[in-house]
Amino acid sequence: MPTQNRVVMLVDLDYFFAQCEELRNPTIKDKPVVVGMYSGRTEDSGAVSTSNYIARKYGVKSGIPLFLAKKRLEGVDAVFLPVDYDYYQQISDKIMQILRGYADVFEQVGIDEAYLDVTQKVHGNFEETPDLVQQMKTAVKNQVGTTFSVGVGPNKLIAKIASDKNKPDGITVVRPKDVEAFLSPLPVDRLLGVGRKTSAKMEELCIKTIGDLAAYDVQRLVELFGKTIGVYFHNAANGIDNDPVQEAGEAESISRIATLKENTRDLAVILQKTDQLTDEIHKELTQKNLSYKQVSIIAIMTDLTSRSRSQTLEQPAKDAETIRKYVRELFEKYLGESELEIRRVGVKVAQLSKEEKQQRQLTSFFTS
Ligand code: DCP
Ligand code: CA
Ligand code: CA
């Protein structure tokens, strides 16, 4: 499928943490709902994680200090609740599971967003997307009870920006022929990578809108921002983004296999080799900032048949010791079941996941 003919969606769950709280307790639905990250120093120290749309009318939104939120809602019958991340994660998992079924390729990004490549599902036809989105919305409403907003475009960049346009419970479809008209009036800081510093610099160059940036000489951008970023700005402003929607996380695994010096059934010999493999796997996990939730062993026997055994953990883990422990247990058990000598051994970790983006954002908020 050529990348220029894709149909890509970004699904963003509406006022997510607050909507989860409304789901658990519908009686709060008609009041301002504020979910706060309480830092614990004093009763009201901390920041607002998010709020429902009623609270937003009072100027209460993500990131503002909790004492300020309290002040803005003084005398109003508002509900303040602490973040319950595990509960939101459960709701998110359920929703993502449903959405996955509507995509050719599904890529979750953080707790409340996912990209869906639906090119084949809609036969490459943007006119078919509102119907598909309606089905998705109905399924999630019926099975979980929540709403979300959707942006549809020819790539991730457009889909993401479009998803912000009609909230909550909205849909915005940007057809390829409408990309330029859609992007050009927007402020430059709507592009990923244009923060406060960069937008100030661009303002000095009289670049205020994405349209201004699109029309700006690319050579000059490269001189100002360097080759990679200059070219990225130019492409992004022109609505060009070839980044594919890619399955991530659960589908992936990391494994290593090696041949033993001699065919053996000796646990110590086997573990010496698998410990090396575990170290390599652990290094890769660390580099990619992944945790795993399943450990497997692979044994290739002298007759070249192969066997594997797996253990799923209760909690995701990141360390090498846990892998070693389960590899040992699995091999002990396996050797008791089989008579043949082993020729090659392998270790695999699966059900990988990244540290949540939102959590990182919050962490950096409080440490900065
Ligand atoms: N979040 C947070 N701190 C922030 C921003 C977000 O803890 N500074 C958390 C709470 C949000 C969730 O991440 O519910 C998703 O963030 P979004 O930016 O998508 O915001 P919402 O889903 O809350 O609202 P919207 O309806 O605008 O998408
Ligand atoms: Ca989001
Ligand atoms: Ca959201």
Side-chain angles (χ1 to χ4, degrees):
M1 188 75 55
T3 50
Q4 55 269 42
N5 296 326
R6 293 180 296 158
V7 183
V8 175
M9 279 182 193
L10 188 272
V11 170
D12 185 293
L13 310 179
D14 296 322
Y15 63 102
F16 186 52
F17 292 6
Q19 201 183 177
C20 289
E21 295 295 348
E22 290 181 357
L23 192 65
R24 159 152 76 183
N25 179 6
T27 62
I28 63 177
K29 239 178 146 49
D30 300 323
K31 304 175 184 179
V33 176
V34 183
V35 177
M37 189 76 181
Y38 292 82
S39 65
R41 252 167 276 136
T42 64
E43 199 189 326
D44 282 341
S45 66
V48 171
S49 265
T50 195
S51 57
N52 68 358
Y53 280 78
I54 303 174
R56 290 182 198 191
K57 286 195 195 130
Y58 294 86
V60 173
K61 53 179 188 171
S62 297
I64 72 165
L66 276 166
F67 74 83
L68 186 58
K70 290 244 154 107
K71 208 161 118 191
R72 290 188 175 160
L73 287 166
E74 214 166 281
V76 182
D77 184 16
V79 180
F80 284 80
L81 296 161
V83 170
D84 179 356
Y85 203 82
D86 289 347
Y87 172 62
Y88 313 145
Q89 188 70 60
Q90 279 174 29
I91 307 281
S92 168
D93 287 349
K94 268 194 215 160
I95 298 169
M96 295 299 168
Q97 188 67 28
I98 296 167
L99 295 176
R100 186 180 287 277
Y102 290 86
D104 305 327
V105 190
F106 185 82
E107 177 181 349
Q108 190 177 339
V109 199
I111 195 169
D112 94 322
E113 281 176 38
Y115 286 102
L116 288 76
D117 189 317
V118 295
T119 311
Q120 289 165 48
K121 284 272 184 309
V122 299
H123 316 99
N125 182 0
F126 278 78
E127 310 309 318
E128 290 184 30
T129 54
D131 255 9
L132 183 65
V133 170
Q134 200 45 58
Q135 288 174 40
M136 291 159 56
K137 281 176 179 278
T138 306
V140 170
K141 189 84 208 174
N142 290 342
Q143 293 173 52
V144 182
T146 56
T147 63
F148 56 82
S149 297
V150 182
V152 187
N155 57 47
K156 285 173 154 182
L157 172 105
I158 307 293
K160 168 80 180 165
I161 297 175
S163 74
D164 235 20
K165 179 127 186 190
N166 285 306
K167 279 181 158 197
D169 203 9
I171 168 173
T172 303
V173 181
V174 180
R175 290 156 185 80
K177 67 173 168 49
D178 301 325
V179 164
E180 194 188 334
F182 173 72
L183 283 183
S184 61
L186 300 174
V188 269
D189 65 6
R190 296 293 299 279
L191 294 176
L192 192 73
V194 183
R196 217 179 310 154
K197 249 170 98 181
T198 307
S199 67
K201 189 166 168 185
M202 286 185 178
E203 180 137 18
E204 281 171 24
L205 306 163
C206 294
I207 302 172
K208 287 191 182 131
T209 65
I210 296 182
D212 295 338
L213 183 59
Y216 207 81
D217 181 49
V218 61
Q219 223 27 68
R220 189 84 187 94
L221 288 176
V222 168
E223 284 163 27
L224 287 160
F225 297 101
K227 180 136 195 251
T228 312
I229 295 174
V231 170
Y232 161 74
F233 283 156
H234 177 76
N235 284 339
N238 284 284
I240 299 164
D241 170 24
N242 291 321
D243 192 29
V245 178
Q246 261 171 327
E247 288 287 338
E250 313 243 294
E252 280 175 41
S253 64
I254 299 176
S255 60
R256 292 285 188 281
I257 297 187
T259 304
L260 296 163
K261 272 199 222 85
E262 51 189 286
N263 299 338
T264 187
R265 292 179 45 76
D266 185 323
L267 187 62
V269 176
I270 291 167
L271 294 181
Q272 194 187 14
K273 185 51 95 184
T274 57
D275 279 355
Q276 289 168 16
L277 302 178
T278 297
D279 286 342
E280 288 177 29
I281 289 171
H282 183 248
K283 203 167 146 193
E284 189 171 334
L285 283 168
T286 309
Q287 277 165 359
K288 296 184 174 168
N289 187 29
L290 292 167
S291 50
Y292 56 89
K293 221 182 152 219
Q294 189 182 55
V295 177
S296 310
I297 58 159
I298 302 150
I300 296 161
M301 320 307 291
T302 40
D303 67 356
L304 296 182
T305 58
S306 85
R307 300 273 184 283
S308 71
R309 295 283 185 275
S310 300
Q311 176 71 48
T312 302
L313 320 186
E314 295 208 28
Q315 296 287 334
K318 291 193 131 179
D319 62 314
E321 200 44 52
T322 306
I323 307 177
R324 267 188 228 116
K325 173 176 161 236
Y326 285 109
V327 166
R328 165 184 272 275
E329 285 182 12
L330 288 165
F331 265 113
E332 272 171 0
K333 224 160 96 192
Y334 177 72
L335 287 169
E337 294 163 10
S338 151
E339 310 262 330
L340 286 171
E341 292 202 309
I342 299 174
R343 189 178 136 83
R344 305 182 75 204
V345 289
V347 176
K348 179 170 105 172
V349 292
Q351 296 186 27
L352 308 180
S353 56
K354 265 206 167 40
E355 186 193 351
E356 283 302 335
K357 214 175 165 185
Q358 318 296 0
Q359 228 164 17
R360 266 210 308 275
Q361 281 171 0
L362 274 175
T363 318
S364 55
F365 178 78
F366 285 115
T367 51
S368 60

mmCIF file of all heavy atoms in Angstrom, residues 239-255:
data_model
loop_
_atom_site.group_PDB
_atom_site.id
_atom_site.type_symbol
_atom_site.label_atom_id
_atom_site.label_comp_id
_atom_site.label_asym_id
_atom_site.label_seq_id
_atom_site.Cartn_x
_atom_site.Cartn_y
_atom_site.Cartn_z
ATOM 1 N N GLY A 239 2.014 18.997 5.517
ATOM 2 C CA GLY A 239 1.134 17.851 5.746
ATOM 3 C C GLY A 239 1.727 16.526 5.341
ATOM 4 O O GLY A 239 1.010 15.540 5.155
ATOM 5 N N ILE A 240 3.053 16.484 5.207
ATOM 6 C CA ILE A 240 3.705 15.234 4.797
ATOM 7 C C ILE A 240 4.234 14.490 6.014
ATOM 8 O O ILE A 240 4.950 15.062 6.839
ATOM 9 C CB ILE A 240 4.872 15.520 3.824
ATOM 10 C CG1 ILE A 240 4.327 16.197 2.565
ATOM 11 C CG2 ILE A 240 5.618 14.235 3.473
ATOM 12 C CD1 ILE A 240 5.410 16.862 1.730
ATOM 13 N N ASP A 241 3.860 13.244 6.153
ATOM 14 C CA ASP A 241 4.310 12.417 7.272
ATOM 15 C C ASP A 241 4.198 10.961 6.837
ATOM 16 O O ASP A 241 3.107 10.457 6.614
ATOM 17 C CB ASP A 241 3.425 12.691 8.500
ATOM 18 C CG ASP A 241 3.685 11.692 9.622
ATOM 19 O OD1 ASP A 241 4.787 11.114 9.671
ATOM 20 O OD2 ASP A 241 2.770 11.494 10.441
ATOM 21 N N ASN A 242 5.346 10.305 6.691
ATOM 22 C CA ASN A 242 5.332 8.919 6.207
ATOM 23 C C ASN A 242 5.456 7.878 7.310
ATOM 24 O O ASN A 242 5.594 6.689 7.037
ATOM 25 C CB ASN A 242 6.446 8.708 5.181
ATOM 26 C CG ASN A 242 6.154 9.463 3.897
ATOM 27 O OD1 ASN A 242 4.998 9.522 3.455
ATOM 28 N ND2 ASN A 242 7.169 10.068 3.322
ATOM 29 N N ASP A 243 5.427 8.332 8.550
ATOM 30 C CA ASP A 243 5.567 7.409 9.665
ATOM 31 C C ASP A 243 4.420 6.382 9.646
ATOM 32 O O ASP A 243 3.253 6.757 9.696
ATOM 33 C CB ASP A 243 5.532 8.222 10.968
ATOM 34 C CG ASP A 243 5.949 7.402 12.168
ATOM 35 O OD1 ASP A 243 6.754 6.471 11.986
ATOM 36 O OD2 ASP A 243 5.458 7.679 13.270
ATOM 37 N N PRO A 244 4.740 5.095 9.563
ATOM 38 C CA PRO A 244 3.659 4.103 9.489
ATOM 39 C C PRO A 244 3.000 3.879 10.846
ATOM 40 O O PRO A 244 3.618 4.094 11.880
ATOM 41 C CB PRO A 244 4.382 2.830 9.038
ATOM 42 C CG PRO A 244 5.776 2.996 9.519
ATOM 43 C CD PRO A 244 6.072 4.474 9.506
ATOM 44 N N VAL A 245 1.740 3.455 10.824
ATOM 45 C CA VAL A 245 1.087 2.982 12.041
ATOM 46 C C VAL A 245 1.670 1.605 12.320
ATOM 47 O O VAL A 245 1.664 0.742 11.445
ATOM 48 C CB VAL A 245 -0.438 2.894 11.855
ATOM 49 C CG1 VAL A 245 -1.109 2.354 13.118
ATOM 50 C CG2 VAL A 245 -1.020 4.257 11.486
ATOM 51 N N GLN A 246 2.224 1.430 13.511
ATOM 52 C CA GLN A 246 2.922 0.178 13.816
ATOM 53 C C GLN A 246 2.425 -0.444 15.096
ATOM 54 O O GLN A 246 2.338 0.234 16.117
ATOM 55 C CB GLN A 246 4.417 0.456 13.976
ATOM 56 C CG GLN A 246 5.218 0.138 12.743
ATOM 57 C CD GLN A 246 6.646 0.622 12.877
ATOM 58 O OE1 GLN A 246 6.930 1.637 13.515
ATOM 59 N NE2 GLN A 246 7.559 -0.108 12.278
ATOM 60 N N GLU A 247 2.109 -1.705 15.039
ATOM 61 C CA GLU A 247 1.789 -2.445 16.262
ATOM 62 C C GLU A 247 2.951 -2.292 17.226
ATOM 63 O O GLU A 247 4.102 -2.433 16.830
ATOM 64 C CB GLU A 247 1.677 -3.953 15.987
ATOM 65 C CG GLU A 247 0.499 -4.427 15.233
ATOM 66 C CD GLU A 247 -0.824 -4.433 15.980
ATOM 67 O OE1 GLU A 247 -0.844 -4.452 17.223
ATOM 68 O OE2 GLU A 247 -1.844 -4.411 15.287
ATOM 69 N N ALA A 248 2.651 -2.054 18.490
ATOM 70 C CA ALA A 248 3.736 -1.977 19.461
ATOM 71 C C ALA A 248 3.326 -2.701 20.713
ATOM 72 O O ALA A 248 2.166 -3.053 20.880
ATOM 73 C CB ALA A 248 4.063 -0.536 19.780
ATOM 74 N N GLY A 249 4.280 -2.920 21.582
ATOM 75 C CA GLY A 249 3.958 -3.467 22.890
ATOM 76 C C GLY A 249 3.667 -4.942 22.863
ATOM 77 O O GLY A 249 4.538 -5.729 22.542
ATOM 78 N N GLU A 250 2.427 -5.293 23.182
ATOM 79 C CA GLU A 250 2.052 -6.676 23.469
ATOM 80 C C GLU A 250 2.465 -7.667 22.380
ATOM 81 O O GLU A 250 2.788 -8.791 22.685
ATOM 82 C CB GLU A 250 0.541 -6.764 23.655
ATOM 83 C CG GLU A 250 0.002 -5.701 24.563
ATOM 84 C CD GLU A 250 -0.616 -6.290 25.813
ATOM 85 O OE1 GLU A 250 -1.633 -6.967 25.693
ATOM 86 O OE2 GLU A 250 -0.039 -6.069 26.882
ATOM 87 N N ALA A 251 2.417 -7.231 21.132
ATOM 88 C CA ALA A 251 2.696 -8.161 20.048
ATOM 89 C C ALA A 251 4.177 -8.532 20.012
ATOM 90 O O ALA A 251 4.533 -9.600 19.558
ATOM 91 C CB ALA A 251 2.284 -7.545 18.720
ATOM 92 N N GLU A 252 5.004 -7.638 20.497
ATOM 93 C CA GLU A 252 6.438 -7.848 20.350
ATOM 94 C C GLU A 252 7.017 -8.785 21.394
ATOM 95 O O GLU A 252 6.461 -8.982 22.460
ATOM 96 C CB GLU A 252 7.165 -6.514 20.494
ATOM 97 C CG GLU A 252 7.123 -5.674 19.254
ATOM 98 C CD GLU A 252 7.753 -4.322 19.527
ATOM 99 O OE1 GLU A 252 8.788 -4.284 20.222
ATOM 100 O OE2 GLU A 252 7.185 -3.329 19.067
ATOM 101 N N SER A 253 8.167 -9.306 21.052
ATOM 102 C CA SER A 253 8.915 -10.076 22.032
ATOM 103 C C SER A 253 10.394 -9.899 21.723
ATOM 104 O O SER A 253 10.751 -9.454 20.638
ATOM 105 C CB SER A 253 8.535 -11.553 21.951
ATOM 106 O OG SER A 253 8.905 -12.067 20.696
ATOM 107 N N ILE A 254 11.219 -10.231 22.692
ATOM 108 C CA ILE A 254 12.664 -10.220 22.464
ATOM 109 C C ILE A 254 13.174 -11.604 22.824
ATOM 110 O O ILE A 254 12.831 -12.133 23.883
ATOM 111 C CB ILE A 254 13.364 -9.154 23.347
ATOM 112 C CG1 ILE A 254 12.839 -7.756 23.012
ATOM 113 C CG2 ILE A 254 14.876 -9.227 23.173
ATOM 114 C CD1 ILE A 254 13.400 -6.655 23.911
ATOM 115 N N SER A 255 13.954 -12.193 21.919
ATOM 116 C CA SER A 255 14.468 -13.532 22.228
ATOM 117 C C SER A 255 15.900 -13.697 21.750
ATOM 118 O O SER A 255 16.373 -12.956 20.887
ATOM 119 C CB SER A 255 13.574 -14.593 21.589
ATOM 120 O OG SER A 255 13.564 -14.419 20.196
#
